Amino acid sequence: MILKALTLENFNGIREPVRIKFAPLTLLFGPNSSGKSTIIKALQLTKTILDCPGGDPFDLAARRGLELGSFRDCVNGHDMSKAIRLSFEIDLPRVVIHYDHEGFFARAEQLFDELHDKIPAERLAAGIETALITLSIRYDTATSTAYVSECRSSLNGISFGQIEYSPLDENAKVSFLNFCHPLMINIDPQYIRLSSGGESGYDAWLRDAHLDADVSPEEYAGGSSDTALEYFIESNNEAPWEGKAFPFGVINQKSAIRNLESRMPLAFRKSLPKWGDDFDSDVIQYQIACIIISDGFFCPLASLSDVLNHSVFLGPLRDIPARQRGFQQSAIESDWSNGKAAWDIIVNANEDFISDVNAWLSRPDRLDSGYGIDVVKYREIPLDHPIMKLIASESNISLMTNNCLADTPVLSRVVLRDKHSGNELSLHDVGVGLSQLLPVVVSALNHESGSITWEHWVSIEQPELHLHQAIQVKLADLFISQAKDHKKVFLLETHSEHLMLRCLRRIKETTEGKIAEPELKIIPENIAVHFVEPSETGPRIHRIHIDEDGDFADPWPLGFFPERFKELYGDDL
């Protein structure tokens, strides 16, 4: 998984920092209005921030049809002086790099062979294994806009740097940069060239600095790392920070983060270097500095953005399409919130996908709803259309009919097929449960929104809504199978004990070797169960661990669905 955990602070009802650890199947339980949906909203806000880092994320969310509200609606206690903080723990099996770098390094070495020792042997991004990125969002009363005021980055467990922005300043600034970070040392040409006999750049730095091997870069961060990058920034930093390694400015950046498609241009005393006759040593070092610093802050965010852009957020109330509803040629992101996007996917899907949906809907060992779906294609021809006149004349109309039909659009209609009688039915002719179930199934099975290399997040509020308990139980099998085989991550806000019980059963059966179908096997590490409990200081989130026997290893707050036991045994239990 790319996104391992999320920590929220001052967001909605959450005041103090609250951490949520994710797994391929993450379940959020708790009373109504306890704060469960806050976690899904935080991911929606994050996606909006990363898509448009220089704008007001709440305004952009509203234009996209997301019901996040304004900054005032979302900040804890409606206190406009507070900062909303979102912290992301990210694993990076590979790093997303949007801005060009290979071309730059190749051209630099081609034009300046004598400067080869000033060019890093590898990208800083190549050494990132884990990252902790914290974003702070504040509100500017003068312009009535929200903005990202701070971006803090830690790489591989060690602080890397911090970017700050205030509307009072012309541009953002890098307020701290840890030149002693092992990744900084290892890509610095000075220490790459010093190293020998397999010695890493970091080891070379320790040796040159006369430090013991157990001294961490953070312990030495207050001193000078004596790296080429630090020396270059000190020599070129602009007023009022001349002679200092930080802070230093960022050109044309009105936010603590920038467009992830480009590297970060640094504001030094010299004019921005460009390709041309003046392409010299300073230009190369300037470009290298931009790339190194951009890597440390924005490569983890680009990976997170890529995941969120391949994700869907399905709301708790799914619309029933009108009998004669027109469909889009592709699903629109904002239409997932009410389930409309699912119907667009069905209409435009190939036969294999429709077969997969029908298998889950109708097979006895799957959801066993008793229904399947068909997509009926037809043409709607007005009575005054030329083809109707040809039919009325009873002439030889084959050629002319084809020409006329070519001008008549093909329409689509989604119908239900009763598996027992074979009758065709409209969604309006059956109970509301099927209209709520279908978007859930489509979001779970759809792979068009995902990519080959990245996981596809599916966040669903109340997937069990209006469904019989027998189907709620089998929904767990749908989520387990897709999370296991299709790089899906499911974040489910639910009240269904039936769904939970099937997950516990599958864990127990996996341990005992009683599951014949491999896709239904699940181990405790692949499921995260959180109970969200309201309190006077805001929501508390309890992680409920599960052992290999399918039992809760931690006590369930207030008992596991105590209402059932009270009804069966009375209040004296």
Side-chain angles (χ1 to χ4, degrees):
M1 287 178 58
I2 307 301
L3 179 57
K4 304 294 289 187
L6 168 67
T7 299
L8 303 177
E9 180 181 352
N10 290 331
F11 187 60
N12 284 0
I14 295 175
R15 185 175 69 189
E16 302 299 326
V18 171
R19 180 176 181 268
I20 306 97
K21 193 175 188 323
F22 298 115
L25 183 55
T26 301
L27 305 178
L28 305 175
F29 288 91
N32 290 330
S33 302
S34 61
K36 301 185 298 300
S37 59
T38 296
I39 299 165
I40 294 178
K41 287 182 177 180
L43 294 178
Q44 292 177 308
L45 175 61
T46 302
K47 182 181 185 306
T48 306
I49 291 172
L50 299 181
D51 284 347
C52 187
D56 186 323
F58 299 95
D59 285 348
L60 179 58
R63 292 197 299 272
R64 290 180 170 181
L66 300 176
E67 298 295 336
L68 297 182
S70 64
F71 179 87
R72 185 180 185 279
D73 295 325
C74 291
V75 70
N76 177 258
H78 306 304
D79 186 344
M80 304 291 279
S81 66
K82 289 183 177 180
I84 296 172
R85 289 192 175 86
L86 313 171
S87 296
F88 311 94
E89 298 173 36
I90 302 169
D91 276 3
L92 290 97
R94 75 171 179 86
V95 176
V96 174
I97 301 174
H98 293 296
Y99 44 84
D100 172 64
H101 59 284
E102 300 295 347
F104 162 72
F105 285 135
R107 185 170 182 185
E109 293 198 3
Q110 179 182 5
L111 295 179
F112 293 91
D113 292 336
E114 69 275 12
L115 297 177
H116 179 80
D117 62 345
K118 298 184 184 298
I119 299 173
E122 63 179 10
R123 289 292 300 277
L124 180 142
I128 302 175
E129 297 177 358
T130 63
L132 172 63
I133 305 293
T134 299
L135 302 179
S136 298
I137 302 96
R138 290 188 176 274
Y139 189 79
D140 178 28
T141 55
T143 60
S144 300
T145 57
Y147 63 96
V148 180
S149 62
E150 184 179 274
C151 175
R152 297 199 304 266
S153 172
S154 293
L155 307 177
N156 300 346
I158 299 173
S159 177
F160 175 80
Q162 178 172 298
I163 302 174
E164 297 178 0
Y165 173 71
S166 168
L168 299 177
D169 299 327
E170 182 178 355
N171 287 302
K173 63 185 177 184
V174 178
S175 57
F176 168 71
L177 196 61
N178 183 6
F179 295 99
C180 301
H181 194 288
L183 292 178
M184 297 281 272
I185 299 298
N186 280 336
I187 58 93
D188 190 278
Q190 176 179 342
Y191 287 103
I192 291 173
R193 308 310 166 191
L194 283 172
S195 62
S196 61
E199 182 183 36
S200 71
Y202 179 49
D203 291 336
W205 170 74
L206 288 173
R207 169 172 49 75
D208 289 353
H210 306 292
L211 296 176
D212 296 330
D214 59 351
V215 176
S216 72
E218 286 194 309
E219 292 178 281
Y220 193 65
S224 172
S225 61
D226 196 28
T227 66
L229 177 60
E230 182 177 14
Y231 176 77
F232 177 75
I233 294 176
E234 287 176 350
S235 303
N236 292 278
N237 208 349
E238 65 177 357
W241 307 303
E242 298 99 328
K244 297 182 179 179
F246 53 79
F248 53 89
V250 183
I251 297 174
N252 295 327
Q253 184 166 319
K254 308 296 184 183
S255 169
I257 63 173
R258 66 177 289 104
N259 185 343
L260 302 179
E261 299 288 334
S262 60
R263 59 180 177 265
M264 184 167 60
L266 308 178
F268 294 150
R269 283 183 295 175
K270 298 181 180 179
S271 60
L272 179 64
K274 299 179 181 179
W275 297 105
D277 296 336
D278 60 343
F279 189 82
D280 58 11
S281 174
D282 283 347
V283 174
I284 290 179
Q285 292 190 61
Y286 173 84
Q287 297 288 352
I288 290 173
C290 292
I291 291 173
I292 289 173
I293 296 170
S294 297
D295 278 3
F297 285 106
F298 300 140
C299 278
L301 284 177
S303 298
L304 176 60
S305 178
D306 199 65
V307 169
L308 294 178
N309 282 329
H310 294 136
S311 303
V312 299
F313 301 91
L314 184 60
L317 297 174
R318 276 78 79 176
D319 290 351
I320 305 175
R323 292 180 188 269
Q324 302 298 326
R325 174 181 182 256
F327 296 96
Q328 304 287 340
Q329 292 185 348
S330 60
I332 299 175
E333 177 188 346
S334 59
D335 283 347
W336 272 113
S337 61
N338 57 19
K340 289 181 180 178
W343 306 104
D344 294 325
I345 288 175
I346 289 172
V347 166
N348 295 286
N350 57 36
E351 293 182 3
D352 290 340
F353 183 78
I354 299 298
S355 296
D356 288 344
V357 172
N358 282 330
W360 272 99
L361 284 177
S362 60
R363 277 175 47 179
D365 60 337
R366 293 294 186 252
L367 297 172
D368 196 19
S369 70
Y371 293 91
I373 59 169
D374 280 340
V375 178
V376 177
K377 305 285 186 180
Y378 64 97
R379 297 181 190 271
E380 196 173 64
I381 305 175
L383 292 176
D384 60 351
H385 193 278
I387 193 172
M388 299 304 293
K389 296 178 181 179
L390 289 171
I391 293 173
S393 68
E394 299 182 357
S395 59
N396 185 0
I397 62 172
S398 58
L399 178 59
M400 298 180 66
T401 300
N402 289 336
N403 292 336
C404 290
L405 285 177
D407 298 329
T408 306
V410 176
L411 304 178
S412 301
R413 183 175 71 248
V414 179
V415 300
L416 296 176
R417 188 76 62 186
D418 189 311
K419 290 300 178 181
H420 302 293
S421 67
N423 292 336
E424 177 183 304
L425 299 168
S426 167
L427 282 160
H428 294 266
D429 299 328
V430 297
V432 73
L434 277 171
S435 67
Q436 304 303 294
L437 174 63
L438 265 165
V440 174
V441 175
V442 171
S443 67
L445 297 179
N446 178 45
H447 307 306
E448 291 181 0
S449 296
S451 64
I452 296 175
T453 53
W454 293 105
E455 67 221 16
H456 174 189
W457 278 59
V458 180
S459 301
I460 308 177
E461 297 182 68
Q462 298 184 46
E464 74 279 6
L465 196 66
H466 293 297
L467 297 180
H468 188 273
Q469 293 89 332
I471 293 182
Q472 292 183 35
V473 166
K474 294 179 179 180
L475 271 181
D477 286 343
L478 172 66
F479 299 134
I480 291 170
S481 67
Q482 299 306 301
K484 183 177 181 63
D485 294 335
H486 299 286
K487 298 182 181 178
K488 294 285 183 69
V489 177
F490 290 98
L491 177 59
L492 309 177
E493 179 197 327
T494 179
H495 297 285
S496 176
E497 68 171 315
H498 307 286
L499 193 154
M500 181 75 259
L501 290 171
R502 174 55 62 93
C503 291
L504 298 178
R505 172 184 166 183
R506 291 305 188 202
I507 291 173
K508 178 179 175 62
E509 290 175 341
T510 299
T511 301
E512 296 174 349
K514 294 182 178 179
I515 297 183
E517 299 176 85
E519 66 269 19
L520 297 182
K521 293 181 179 180
I522 185 171
I523 58 176
E525 290 76 14
N526 288 339
I527 182 169
V529 180
H530 298 278
F531 184 87
V532 184
E533 180 183 20
S535 71
E536 293 182 358
T537 59
R540 297 176 181 174
I541 299 182
H542 306 272
R543 172 77 186 272
I544 312 296
H545 294 85
I546 302 172
D547 62 26
E548 293 183 350
D549 295 324
D551 294 323
F552 293 124
D554 301 310
W556 193 280
L558 307 178
F560 180 59
F561 291 94
E563 296 82 7
R564 164 191 287 264
F565 293 94
K566 284 186 177 181
E567 292 302 316
L568 288 175
Y569 303 109
D571 294 331
D572 296 332
L573 181 66

